[in-house]
Amino acid sequence: MKLKITAFWLVILAALFIFLQEYSRFHFFFIEQSQLFQFTGDYICGKLAMPGGFALTLSEFLVQFFRYPYAGAGITAALLLLTGMGMRGIVRRIVPDTDFFLLYLIPVILLMFLHFDFNYLAFGTIAFNLMLLAFYLCLRISDNKWRMIVEIVATTLLYGLAGAVACLFALSVLIYEFLNKTPKFYWSSLSVLLGLLCGVCSVYFALLGEYRFAFLPDAYYHTALEPKTVIYYSWISFPLILILAFLLRKRKKAAGKKIWIAGGVLQLALLCVLCWWGIPEYGDKKSAKVKELDYYARTEQWDKILDANKGTLTNYLNMCYLNLALAQKGELADRMFSFDQRGPQGLMVGWNKTEQISSLLSDIAFAMGNSAMAQEMAFEGYVTVIGAGNPRNLQRLVQTNLIYGTYPIAEKYISILEKTYAYHDWAKRHRGFLYNDKAIEADPVLGPKRKALPKESNLSGINGLEHDLLIRAEQDPENQLPIQFTGAIYLLSKDMKAFQRLIEKYYGTPVLPSLPVSFQEAVILLAEKDVDYWKRFNVSGNVIRKFAGYRNLVVQNRNNPQLPQLIKKSFGD
């Protein structure tokens, strides 16, 4: 029997791991960037002092390992497995001979839906598991009097360790004692009153900001956002399962083999239906591509970004990652029209004050050499994060402060990263740049950015992005990205007059010694019949021959309704 049970849970664990790894592989990398665990006594004690501090600390400790392949899926699958095993232990204490594995797995699936949401904290699942453990241990006490005493004490202890889930525990023990027909069961209502008192005191003494964080699963979600209703489903399911377990205990006889098989098939069908409905509903598949591109950008896998963005593109975020990859490879102005482009928003989306967009804009600004904007967006991303910090933005704040020579601030951020497991080595390497101008100027990343800093202090962006880019282009002509970004903005905006002024002013100077391919093609658009104008900008023979082929195709198929398809096939770039 034990072998069958072990095999059952191993199958569940394997199924959860395989599914989560395939379905949410990049989601876990994304989650890791939202929480920054620090190995210091002050940090840990500060967390432990909060209601639910133990569960929160444990969750942040585990999430830091999500940056490694398979770790996120493995850890999450293990947490969900513990939920299922805890549910089985509780149900079997009530009705020992039940075969309803559906009762064990419904909370597992409902919690799995929550893990698809990057605003949900693993803190919530760990807290739920601690509640199950406390409930199971109480049920093992056969003496009614002592069991209710332990339940009352456990409510307070659980509130301190796991937070608001203690209120679910208190309500559930009251339901259990009532259905169990325990003499003087009403004493269990003290657990509910104690849970309410803990919540009220937590808000009154400002340990928690709102009552919904004191009593509801909202405590395990991004505090600035309203969670979806799915966050309540696992909490609702637990007392309902207790009630159903007591109903099953009233059965007179065990089911026959045929009924047992039919019941198993029906339960599997119900679980499949639940997954069939819930995974598309809560799976957040729309953001999967962005999370994948975000991971590639963070790990500087630029070619993978290009491979992932072939074909039709409709999402400006995807285009931003694409153009960032082209810029980092030095191919933006040569190859950007080899991919689907939909306007200047594909170079830089509008800021919406979220962590994700702030981080992306910081990356783009840093690539362009706009250290001021990169620093501003990194700071905005850092302060809007769901957890205690964002390592990616913290690294950017280190870099930008080193570039500006504000060493005390850079040192403060380095000290934070040095207290982490995953970013300690990076921080240690960058500590060598502190108060060392020569080392910074010699560094291939920091040196060019410092060289491109404006000689005169000015407000970043006050005269437009293009103005800032041209200042940096003139300041450091060796870096072609600012001038290429500026030209790309004009072309994608179809502002040909501004583009013409740009090339006529800078072509042949150190800022723009030669024109990239897309710029040469734009020259022909500016003066289709003026060959001398082409020669002025040294338009290549290959570009001229390509235009001739394009023109012939248009002239010969002027009345052909398939002309757009023919153009796209032969001259899609």
Side-chain angles (χ1 to χ4, degrees):
M1 188 62 180
K2 289 185 178 180
L3 185 61
K4 289 182 179 180
I5 295 171
T6 302
F8 172 79
W9 289 117
L10 286 176
V11 169
I12 296 299
L13 178 63
L16 286 170
F17 172 75
I18 293 171
F19 172 74
L20 291 172
Q21 176 62 26
E22 291 301 313
Y23 190 82
S24 302
R25 180 170 35 142
F26 295 100
H27 172 76
F28 295 113
F29 295 136
F30 192 82
I31 291 295
E32 181 268 334
Q33 286 294 297
S34 298
Q35 299 172 54
L36 187 68
F37 183 78
Q38 300 174 41
F39 283 92
T40 66
D42 290 342
Y43 179 84
I44 294 173
C45 288
K47 294 290 182 183
L48 293 177
M50 300 167 54
F54 173 78
L56 177 60
T57 303
L58 180 58
S59 71
E60 289 188 354
F61 174 81
L62 294 175
V63 167
Q64 69 177 327
F65 299 107
F66 280 19
R67 74 190 301 266
Y68 301 108
Y70 308 108
I75 292 171
T76 304
L79 291 176
L80 293 174
L81 179 73
L82 291 175
T83 301
M85 294 174 68
M87 288 300 305
R88 180 184 185 277
I90 291 169
V91 171
R92 300 281 288 191
R93 295 298 301 183
I94 299 172
V95 50
D97 60 343
T98 183
D99 296 314
F100 276 71
F101 58 83
L102 182 67
L103 301 182
Y104 319 150
L105 298 182
I106 283 180
V108 173
I109 294 174
L110 295 176
L111 285 172
M112 182 181 71
F113 294 161
L114 285 175
H115 281 275
F116 295 145
D117 189 339
F118 57 80
N119 290 309
Y120 173 74
L121 296 165
F123 170 30
T125 302
I126 292 174
F128 194 86
N129 286 343
L130 288 174
M131 185 274 296
L132 294 179
L133 176 61
F135 202 95
Y136 175 75
L137 292 177
C138 287
L139 295 195
R140 291 185 62 88
I141 301 173
S142 58
D143 185 274
N144 294 331
K145 177 183 175 181
W146 281 106
R147 184 174 64 250
M148 287 190 286
I149 291 174
V150 171
E151 288 167 354
I152 294 169
V153 174
T155 300
T156 307
L157 181 61
L158 189 61
Y159 202 97
L161 294 175
V165 78
C167 297
L168 174 63
F169 170 83
L171 178 62
S172 300
V173 297
L174 178 60
I175 292 173
Y176 172 82
E177 299 299 348
F178 171 75
L179 295 176
N180 194 48
K181 298 180 180 179
T182 304
K184 299 183 180 180
F185 74 89
Y186 46 81
W187 285 105
S188 294
S189 60
L190 289 176
S191 294
V192 177
L193 293 174
L194 202 54
L196 292 173
L197 180 62
C198 288
V200 170
C201 290
S202 295
V203 177
Y204 181 81
F205 291 106
L207 296 174
L208 297 173
E210 300 178 38
Y211 282 109
R212 64 188 182 100
F213 302 140
F215 302 116
L216 299 174
D218 297 46
Y220 310 110
Y221 200 79
H222 197 307
T223 54
L225 302 174
E226 292 286 340
K228 296 178 181 178
T229 54
V230 66
I231 200 169
Y232 304 107
Y233 295 168
S234 57
W235 278 38
I236 294 172
S237 71
F238 182 64
L240 292 179
I241 288 171
L242 293 180
I243 295 170
L244 185 55
F246 274 101
L247 292 175
L248 291 173
R249 192 162 75 171
K250 294 181 179 180
R251 288 186 308 173
K252 299 295 184 181
K253 59 180 180 179
K257 186 175 182 181
K258 290 184 179 180
I259 296 178
W260 182 84
I261 294 173
V265 172
L266 179 60
Q267 290 178 80
L268 284 174
L270 290 173
L271 289 172
C272 290
V273 169
L274 184 60
C275 292
W276 176 78
W277 164 77
I279 292 172
E281 181 72 16
Y282 303 110
D284 198 24
K285 201 63 177 176
K286 293 180 180 179
S287 67
K289 183 67 171 290
V290 171
K291 292 173 184 174
E292 178 182 359
L293 298 177
D294 179 83
Y295 173 73
Y296 290 148
R298 185 157 38 88
T299 54
E300 299 184 356
Q301 300 183 60
W302 308 120
D303 287 327
K304 287 191 175 182
I305 293 180
L306 301 185
D307 292 339
N309 280 292
K310 293 179 179 178
T312 302
L313 299 177
T314 57
N315 189 319
Y316 283 125
L317 287 179
N318 294 5
M319 296 177 204
C320 282
Y321 282 111
L322 161 68
N323 290 320
L324 173 62
L326 289 172
Q328 293 286 16
K329 288 173 64 66
E331 301 173 356
L332 176 64
D334 284 315
R335 294 186 61 197
M336 65 178 181
F337 290 108
S338 297
F339 300 86
D340 198 2
Q341 301 285 352
R342 302 294 177 107
Q345 299 95 324
L347 288 172
M348 182 172 285
V349 293
W351 181 48
N352 65 356
K353 301 182 181 180
T354 64
E355 173 199 354
Q356 178 186 352
I357 300 301
S358 298
S359 300
L360 172 59
L361 293 178
S362 179
D363 286 350
I364 295 171
F366 195 73
M368 292 189 302
N370 191 337
S371 298
M373 182 180 178
Q375 185 176 77
E376 178 190 3
M377 290 295 101
F379 184 79
E380 293 291 347
Y382 186 74
V383 298
T384 54
V385 71
I386 185 175
N390 181 302
R392 175 189 191 173
N393 287 320
L394 204 55
Q395 288 174 313
R396 180 58 38 77
L397 290 172
V398 170
Q399 291 174 319
T400 53
N401 279 286
L402 288 174
I403 290 166
Y404 278 110
T406 49
Y407 295 120
I409 300 175
E411 187 172 16
K412 179 182 71 173
Y413 294 134
I414 288 173
S415 297
I416 297 174
L417 288 170
E418 283 179 329
K419 297 168 186 174
T420 67
Y421 168 75
Y423 303 95
H424 175 270
D425 292 340
W426 187 94
K428 189 175 181 180
R429 288 198 305 271
H430 282 74
R431 180 171 284 279
F433 291 114
L434 291 174
Y435 310 100
N436 191 339
D437 292 337
K438 290 184 178 179
I440 291 175
E441 291 164 5
D443 185 74
V445 174
L446 304 179
K449 300 293 189 297
R450 175 174 281 194
K451 187 177 181 181
L453 291 177
K455 292 182 178 179
E456 297 181 1
S457 180
N458 62 87
L459 292 175
S460 177
I462 194 170
N463 294 313
L465 177 61
E466 299 94 305
H467 179 265
D468 288 355
L469 288 170
L470 292 178
I471 289 177
R472 283 157 179 78
E474 293 173 359
Q475 189 77 20
D476 182 18
E478 294 180 8
N479 181 11
Q480 290 290 294
L481 271 182
I483 194 72
Q484 289 190 16
F485 254 103
T486 306
I489 290 171
Y490 292 146
L491 292 180
L492 292 176
S493 303
K494 300 183 180 180
D495 189 349
M496 299 308 292
K497 290 184 179 179
F499 177 79
Q500 187 171 14
R501 289 194 298 269
L502 179 78
I503 61 172
E504 288 182 353
K505 178 179 180 180
Y506 289 106
Y507 175 70
T509 70
V511 174
L512 190 62
S514 61
L515 293 187
V517 172
S518 64
F519 288 17
Q520 293 181 40
E521 293 173 345
V523 167
I524 295 180
L525 290 179
L526 289 171
E528 180 182 339
K529 298 179 181 180
D530 190 349
V531 178
D532 290 336
Y533 194 76
W534 304 356
K535 292 180 179 179
R536 173 182 171 182
F537 295 98
N538 198 25
V539 176
S540 70
N542 185 52
V543 171
I544 295 173
R545 285 190 295 273
K546 195 173 182 181
F547 171 71
Y550 170 82
R551 188 175 186 279
N552 290 336
L553 179 67
V554 172
V555 171
Q556 293 172 7
N557 295 273
R558 191 178 300 275
N559 297 320
N560 187 346
Q562 299 297 316
L563 178 58
Q565 288 79 7
L566 293 173
I567 292 175
K568 185 175 181 180
K569 182 178 179 180
S570 300
F571 302 97
D573 58 350

